[in-house]
Amino acid sequence: MSRTASVLLRYLAIAVIGLLMAVPLLFMLSGSLKSAAEVSQFPPSLLPSVPIWQNFADAWEFLTPRVVVNSFIFAFGVILVQLAISIPAAFALAKIPFRWTGLILGVLIIPHFVPGNLSLIPLYVITNELGLLNTYAGMILPIGGQCAFAVLLFRQFFVTLPKGLTDAARLDGAGWFRVLTSITMPLAGPAMATYCSVTFLTAWNMYIWPLLAAPDPAHRVLNVALAPLASGSNVQISPAVALAGAVIAMLPVLLVFVVSQKWYVKGVAGTGID
């Protein structure tokens, strides 16, 4: 009986904490279907008196499909660039013996002690000097190059793979590139899925760098487009429409997590990340 009570109390605590954490999300979903007067009223109501689905149509018209496409291009571009750099580098550090491996790993740890905002000005100056402002390359490459964490993550995963796999392939005449693409990368699926989901969430939620690198409307992403609504500077747009826009911006992230949840859990268990 005591064990059953302990399990029930544990699940009850999880449910209560989960509900408290979900309150802002529920308020956003409810507010996206309210009128402007209902969103501003106090005390707030839990549910809209009459759901107004037109808010989502107005939010979509304000954001435009181009903004959504730009957000996907930016997020997936960052993922592809980081994977293209980090996986070969991690494989080399884990499986190919050469001098100064420890020194390189030490250098890769340094960026984790530097606040990200300190690099904004140098990145902006370099991007401007290269003529990449207001381009997709200017948005993606500076962020895609910040992959020290990815190198360390994949390196740790490759170290855990049995050495006999690579040795057998090398004895059969396979080169290091063949070993990477045919043996280690297929086994790194959980780690790659974990990293891709986290990186997608990070890139999707970025605001400052996309605003600095591409402020023109042709390359604007969702967070930059939603900022005037969040600050209330656009008085012509109802706060309910702003909440509907936030819901639209949240849906891709939620979909990515639901699809990759299985691989995410396996990757966390396999790589030891918490």
Side-chain angles (χ1 to χ4, degrees):
M1 290 297 294
S2 60
R3 182 178 180 182
T4 303
S6 176
V7 172
L8 291 176
L9 288 175
R10 185 182 307 172
Y11 280 105
L12 180 61
I14 293 173
V16 171
I17 295 174
L19 182 60
L20 291 176
M21 297 179 65
V23 167
L25 179 62
L26 296 176
F27 175 80
M28 180 177 66
L29 293 173
S30 175
S32 65
L33 297 173
K34 295 179 180 179
S35 63
E38 284 185 293
V39 172
S40 304
Q41 74 178 12
F42 185 84
S45 59
L46 180 61
L47 298 175
S49 57
V50 178
I52 305 176
W53 299 100
Q54 183 63 31
N55 290 338
F56 286 93
D58 295 340
W60 181 258
E61 182 179 357
F62 176 81
L63 294 175
T64 72
R66 178 65 180 269
V67 171
V68 179
V69 172
N70 288 341
S71 298
F72 277 107
I73 292 175
F74 175 66
F76 284 115
V78 169
I79 291 173
L80 292 177
V81 171
Q82 291 194 357
L83 289 179
I85 298 174
S86 60
I87 289 180
F91 177 78
L93 291 171
K95 296 299 183 182
I96 302 177
F98 61 93
R99 296 179 63 185
W100 312 116
T101 301
L103 178 61
I104 295 174
L105 292 175
V107 172
L108 290 175
I109 296 176
I110 295 177
H112 297 285
F113 298 97
V114 179
N117 291 335
L118 291 181
S119 63
L120 287 177
I121 295 177
L123 284 178
Y124 180 84
V125 172
I126 295 173
T127 305
N128 184 38
E129 291 296 328
L130 294 175
L132 296 179
L133 291 181
N134 292 321
T135 64
Y136 290 118
M139 295 170 59
I140 294 171
L141 293 179
I143 303 300
Q146 300 177 16
C147 54
F149 172 75
V151 174
L152 295 175
L153 170 66
F154 288 118
R155 186 258 177 190
Q156 185 63 28
F157 181 84
F158 291 147
V159 166
T160 61
L161 296 179
K163 190 173 182 295
L165 290 176
T166 56
D167 291 342
R170 294 289 291 169
L171 289 176
D172 289 340
W176 286 117
F177 183 76
R178 178 68 182 275
V179 175
L180 171 63
T181 56
S182 300
I183 297 177
T184 55
M185 284 187 63
L187 295 175
M192 292 177 62
T194 302
Y195 186 75
C196 288
S197 60
V198 173
T199 305
F200 178 86
L201 176 62
T202 302
W204 189 268
N205 289 332
M206 280 189 175
Y207 169 73
I208 296 179
W209 178 250
L211 177 63
L212 292 176
D216 65 319
H219 298 87
R220 187 175 298 163
V221 297
L222 274 170
N223 287 337
V224 177
L226 286 172
L229 302 184
S231 62
S233 58
N234 194 328
V235 296
Q236 298 179 350
I237 303 297
S238 166
V241 175
L243 291 174
V247 173
I248 293 175
M250 177 196 68
L251 290 179
V253 176
L254 182 62
L255 180 61
V256 167
F257 178 78
V258 170
V259 172
S260 62
Q261 183 179 12
K262 176 182 176 181
W263 292 103
Y264 182 84
V265 173
K266 287 184 178 181
V268 169
T271 57
I273 298 176
D274 52 17

